[in-house]
Amino acid sequence: MENNQSIQQIALTVPETVVEIKKCPSMGFVFLKAFLLAPFRSSTIADDAIVKKTRIILKNYLPDKDLISNYRQVCAFSEDRTDTIPISYLQTLFIGLLGKFITSPFFPINPLGLIHIFQSFEQKRPVTTDEILDLACTLDTIKKTEKGIETEFTLEIMSQGKLVWKGISVFFTRSQIKKKKTSKKKDDIFLEEKETILVPAGTGRRYANVSGDYNPHHLYTVLAKLFGFKRAIAHGMWSLARVVASLDRAFGIHDSAFVEASFKLPIFMPATTCLGYECQNDTENQQIIVNFELRDKQKGLPHLKGRLLKAI
């Protein structure tokens, strides 16, 4: 993620500030607040800035079984384990909390300039659909690079006082200062193609309905053009979830597992993509390592790259 750039880490004060909310905020209100705040927040930050380390928590949350079922369909998960929650679905529980966070006084960057560039999640054990969960979202790191600002959030889910799922979301805010061109990248290595994945035009709206992520550039082309895109783009988290669904069928993500992925080029809908992956056994650590990627079927351009780790 850092690409050998010069990096300035912004100080976060400790102990952290804890803010408890009673319910997930309305995403309509979050978007309205973000638009109103945008003119008054910068896309950069001073080198000597000091930001309060903050944790927003939501306790006693019961996931919606109907949404989980619909999510399985939208992301092509199998229907044979409907009593457990797909590992990637648990990230969607934080969309409201992240929206609350980036529009709060604790977040110093323009909320409209965030680009999701990295996501990881680790499942300690399967989470069932009838568990009451406690959610926590923490701003852990702010890095100032030559190209912009990286903000890193840690997402945690507790059940009966024990950590059952943990994720890291990294967002990038592009600097308004134009930088010199960097050196040419190394040749890209393609993984063996395993599956063709179609991305229909309405995928963004379907995923928004099950995830709560109604960012306008995912919904309709006319809205996407307002944000500088030629057509509506698929959610990065939909593409990752769709890949995880295929890996689940191939390798079985039933118990503890770890997934991480970097988001590359956007998917303009409709699109035809291809999933490639390679698998190796790490006998020393008793786990399977699956390196994966999702590319444009015709041009071979990368949309995401990542890996799955699971016990043998």
Side-chain angles (χ1 to χ4, degrees), residues 151-215:
T151 46
E152 180 178 307
F153 292 87
T154 297
L155 319 175
E156 296 173 303
I157 298 179
M158 309 281 287
S159 178
Q160 297 182 341
K162 294 183 178 180
L163 182 68
V164 293
W165 186 96
K166 181 178 180 179
I168 294 176
S169 296
V170 181
F171 298 90
F172 176 71
T173 302
R174 190 174 287 111
S175 172
Q176 295 178 348
I177 301 174
K178 292 185 178 180
K179 297 296 180 181
K180 296 179 181 179
K181 291 183 178 180
T182 56
S183 58
K184 191 175 181 180
K185 294 182 179 180
K186 295 180 180 179
D187 291 338
D188 204 0
I189 299 175
F190 284 55
L191 300 179
E192 182 181 352
E193 183 178 333
K194 302 290 187 177
E195 181 183 353
T196 296
I197 296 177
L198 301 179
V199 190
T203 299
R205 295 189 294 276
R206 294 178 67 220
Y207 186 76
N209 289 336
V210 296
S211 69
D213 185 351
Y214 285 94
N215 269 304

Side-chain angles (χ1 to χ4, degrees), residues 8-26:
Q8 173 69 40
Q9 187 146 326
I10 305 302
L12 298 179
T13 61
V14 291
E16 66 186 14
T17 300
V18 178
V19 177
E20 183 175 352
I21 61 176
K22 300 301 181 182
K23 63 178 181 178
C24 277
S26 162

Side-chain angles (χ1 to χ4, degrees), residues 49-298:
I50 298 177
V51 180
K52 288 183 179 180
K53 184 171 184 178
T54 307
R55 176 187 296 254
I56 294 181
I57 60 176
L58 173 63
K59 294 184 176 180
N60 301 318
Y61 182 85
L62 181 63
D64 187 315
K65 291 184 179 181
D66 289 337
L67 278 180
I68 296 170
S69 177
N70 291 337
Y71 177 93
R72 284 184 171 277
Q73 295 178 23
V74 170
C75 301
F77 281 91
S78 65
E79 297 292 331
D80 59 350
R81 298 195 311 277
T82 56
D83 59 330
T84 61
I85 303 176
I87 185 174
S88 55
Y89 178 83
L90 293 165
Q91 184 272 343
T92 71
L93 303 183
F94 291 91
I95 290 173
L97 270 71
L98 285 166
K100 173 80 172 179
F101 209 126
I102 65 176
T103 55
S104 76
F106 302 111
F107 190 73
I109 311 297
N110 186 342
L112 292 185
L114 300 182
I115 302 169
H116 197 179
I117 62 170
F118 175 85
Q119 181 66 50
S120 74
F121 34 80
E122 181 178 10
Q123 177 178 278
K124 305 294 186 179
R125 63 159 177 81
V127 180
T128 62
T129 56
D130 58 358
E131 290 188 62
I132 297 176
L133 307 173
D134 295 335
L135 314 179
C137 174
T138 308
L139 175 60
D140 272 326
T141 308
I142 301 178
K143 295 177 182 178
K144 186 175 182 181
T145 74
E146 293 178 354
K147 293 184 178 180
I149 306 296
E150 288 185 9
T151 46
E152 180 178 307
F153 292 87
T154 297
L155 319 175
E156 296 173 303
I157 298 179
M158 309 281 287
S159 178
Q160 297 182 341
K162 294 183 178 180
L163 182 68
V164 293
W165 186 96
K166 181 178 180 179
I168 294 176
S169 296
V170 181
F171 298 90
F172 176 71
T173 302
R174 190 174 287 111
S175 172
Q176 295 178 348
I177 301 174
K178 292 185 178 180
K179 297 296 180 181
K180 296 179 181 179
K181 291 183 178 180
T182 56
S183 58
K184 191 175 181 180
K185 294 182 179 180
K186 295 180 180 179
D187 291 338
D188 204 0
I189 299 175
F190 284 55
L191 300 179
E192 182 181 352
E193 183 178 333
K194 302 290 187 177
E195 181 183 353
T196 296
I197 296 177
L198 301 179
V199 190
T203 299
R205 295 189 294 276
R206 294 178 67 220
Y207 186 76
N209 289 336
V210 296
S211 69
D213 185 351
Y214 285 94
N215 269 304
H217 53 279
H218 296 306
L219 306 180
Y220 297 97
T221 289
V222 65
L223 298 177
K225 286 183 177 180
L226 297 177
F227 290 84
F229 298 102
K230 62 182 180 181
R231 296 199 305 274
I233 63 174
H235 296 74
M237 279 306 303
W238 174 83
S239 61
L240 178 54
R242 180 62 185 81
V243 167
V244 170
S246 290
L247 297 179
D248 185 25
R249 286 192 294 274
F251 301 99
I253 305 175
H254 309 313
D255 299 308
S256 61
F258 172 83
V259 176
E260 65 177 2
S262 295
F263 301 111
K264 305 295 184 180
L265 299 174
I267 300 175
F268 293 101
M269 302 177 290
T272 302
T273 65
C274 58
L275 168 62
Y277 59 79
E278 61 181 14
C279 174
Q280 63 187 69
N281 290 334
D282 180 357
T283 53
E284 182 179 348
N285 296 304
Q286 291 296 296
Q287 64 182 4
I288 296 171
I289 303 174
V290 183
N291 296 309
F292 61 82
E293 62 184 13
L294 188 69
R295 293 181 179 272
D296 179 85
K297 178 75 171 181
Q298 184 177 7

